[in-house]
Amino acid sequence: MNQSVTVRVPAKINLQLAVGPLRPDGYHDLVTVFHAVDLCDEVTVALAEEDTDSVAVSGEGAAQVPADGGNLAMRAVRALRARAGMAGNVRIRIIKRIPVAAGMAGGSADAAGALVACDELWGTGLPAAELSALAAQLGSDVPFALLGGTAVGRGRGEQLSPLAGDSAATYHWVLAYADGGLSTPLVYKTLDQLRDGRDVPAPGLSDELVEALRAGDPFRLGRALGNDLQAPALSLFPALNETLAAGRSLGSLGALVSGSGPTCFFLARDAEHAASLAARMREAGACRSVAVATGPAAGASVITTEDATRHG
Ligand code: C5P
């Protein structure tokens, strides 16, 4: 029997994020194109002798992540334990690389990682559709962290259909991390305020974006990027205007706020262009730090398991 399972789980960016009107349940109907990038958290879940669950977080922004029952990975473990009728406590260890409250679904990634790790640890073997339904109860972006790749999200973002793009295409991104975070509910609320009661049409998928992905053409993709949450994110975090302007003037093919922000991302032609764009973004200094990433990346995947014999 496995004593411990480690899962790698990717961050996401939204290549398109079209937001419809506010729904009676407090969410907004979306049409979004999720894209997983190879910036990953690692989530390890181990069987514990202790009589409570525990979580320890290290890495990028760890101090801002709750290490108690409010932790999304802990909530995921508890949800799966209840769903699968399991008993026994676990120790969760999270190594963060995805920045916190940054619009890259880092918390959702940790929840998805914990679901996959516990499913393997306990041998629950839930069908993918059931794991995805459980994930959707934890947060709108959690099902996509399970799936990875590039996919259209509808509803709250939890209804996914993989996008058949050019399967050979890899995109090269430069990520600009901001100093500070943004609250997702506040960004949505600010969008509603900016819309000022005007009629908002149902969101629709960008044909141009889908065509660009089908063709695997980064130049077209760069022109087709779009995010309805960018305007409210910029109004709450005006420094992002400079970050976006820096990336545009340094020759990115496209520049956008990621999800509800404040991370901004920039599309490069290829790996070499991404490295030089990242270096020049660092020099420009219009953000806290800069990273490069490629996509699409795989969804939450088991990378190591340790069994009882190795633990003695
Ligand atoms: O689903 P999740 O907990 O990640 O969503 C966080 C918050 O983001 C929600 O409480 C809501 O305010 C906002 N949201 C929304 N419409 C969506 C997804 C999220 O208004 N489709």
Side-chain angles (χ1 to χ4, degrees):
M1 185 173 172
N2 289 323
Q3 291 286 308
S4 132
V5 177
T6 300
V7 170
R8 179 180 294 149
V9 58
K12 63 85 187 164
I13 57 178
N14 303 76
L15 307 182
Q16 188 199 356
L17 180 44
V19 182
L22 178 64
R23 308 192 316 200
D25 66 0
Y27 286 90
H28 296 73
D29 269 323
L30 306 180
V31 171
T32 187
V33 176
F34 288 114
H35 180 73
V37 293
D38 66 347
L39 171 74
C40 294
D41 281 359
E42 274 179 32
V43 181
T44 301
V45 181
L47 298 177
E49 309 280 302
E50 296 84 6
D51 56 9
T52 57
D53 297 313
S54 63
V55 59
V57 187
S58 61
E60 166 86 27
Q64 300 154 56
V65 180
D68 56 22
N71 186 289
L72 261 181
M74 181 89 91
R75 287 177 43 206
V77 167
R78 292 180 171 165
L80 180 60
R81 181 159 47 213
R83 169 70 187 72
M86 300 301 297
N89 295 306
V90 297
R91 275 196 300 270
I92 306 167
R93 194 156 44 81
I94 302 173
I95 303 176
K96 297 240 24 110
R97 295 194 190 88
I98 308 172
V100 178
M104 300 193 75
S108 301
D110 299 341
L115 284 179
V116 170
C118 280
D119 187 52
E120 177 79 17
L121 186 71
W122 291 331
T124 39
L126 278 195
E130 281 190 44
L131 212 54
S132 185
L134 200 57
Q137 289 169 22
L138 294 161
S140 308
D141 293 341
V142 183
F144 178 71
L146 292 174
L147 184 69
T150 305
V152 179
R154 292 191 170 82
R156 282 189 289 129
E158 85 288 13
Q159 298 161 20
L160 297 174
S161 34
L163 208 66
D166 172 353
S167 56
T170 297
Y171 300 99
H172 297 268
W173 305 98
V174 174
L175 307 172
Y177 302 149
D179 224 342
L182 272 175
S183 146
T184 301
L186 180 61
V187 176
Y188 275 101
K189 203 169 141 217
T190 305
L191 174 66
D192 294 334
Q193 285 164 356
L194 291 175
R195 286 172 163 176
D196 197 21
R198 281 191 294 274
D199 271 351
V200 178
L205 183 61
S206 158
D207 293 337
E208 179 51 28
L209 186 84
V210 172
E211 285 303 317
L213 288 167
R214 205 162 276 155
D217 181 340
F219 292 87
R220 286 177 69 182
L221 179 59
R223 288 193 296 271
L225 300 171
N227 180 2
D228 286 349
L229 293 181
Q230 179 157 297
L234 291 175
S235 83
L236 291 165
F237 207 132
L240 301 182
N241 284 298
E242 283 163 50
T243 313
L244 290 172
R248 287 192 192 108
S249 71
L250 293 171
S252 68
L253 306 183
L256 202 68
V257 168
S258 178
S260 55
T263 303
C264 295
F265 65 84
F266 305 92
L267 181 56
R269 288 189 300 275
D270 51 30
E272 205 180 321
H273 183 212
S276 71
L277 181 59
R280 295 169 73 192
M281 284 293 295
R282 276 186 204 103
E283 276 168 29
C287 58
R288 173 171 62 84
S289 64
V290 178
V292 290
T294 64
S301 332
V302 173
I303 52 169
T304 47
T305 58
E306 289 189 24
D307 62 22
T309 48
R310 285 182 61 181
H311 279 256

